[in-house]
């Protein structure tokens, strides 16, 4: 018997159309957090959020353009 994955069944989160959507949502959420913290909050919190936002935007960018790579 073949395992279920080899029979063509999809697992949750395997839809390739969703990956770019997740990337765009990650970018939007990171930018929204960076904008929100820029109006209020101590400097140390702003720095932490900005660094986290850069990392999340980078991962979101990779997710968004993943299907276009060669």
């Amino acid at each position: 018997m073949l395992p279920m994955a080899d029979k063509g069944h999809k697992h949750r989160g395997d839809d390739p159309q969703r990956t770019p959507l997740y990337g765009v949502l990650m970018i939007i959420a990171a930018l929204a957090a960076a904008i929100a913290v820029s109006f209020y909050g101590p400097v140390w919190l702003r720095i932490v959020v900005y660094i986290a936002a850069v990392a999340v935007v980078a991962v979101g960018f990779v997710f968004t353009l993943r299907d276009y790579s060669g």
Side-chain angles (χ1 to χ4, degrees):
M1 292 293 272
L2 293 173
M4 187 181 287
D6 291 337
K7 291 183 180 178
H9 293 103
K10 286 189 177 184
H11 295 284
R12 186 175 183 190
D14 284 347
D15 188 9
Q17 300 263 336
R18 290 185 184 174
T19 305
L21 174 65
Y22 294 154
V24 170
L25 292 176
M26 288 173 69
I27 292 169
I28 291 171
L31 293 177
I35 290 171
V37 78
S38 68
F39 292 113
Y40 178 74
V43 175
W44 66 268
L45 180 63
R46 291 180 189 179
I47 293 170
V48 169
V49 170
Y50 292 157
I51 291 171
V54 168
V56 171
V57 166
V59 172
F61 185 73
V62 170
F63 275 19
T64 302
L65 299 179
R66 178 186 72 103
D67 293 334
Y68 298 116
S69 63

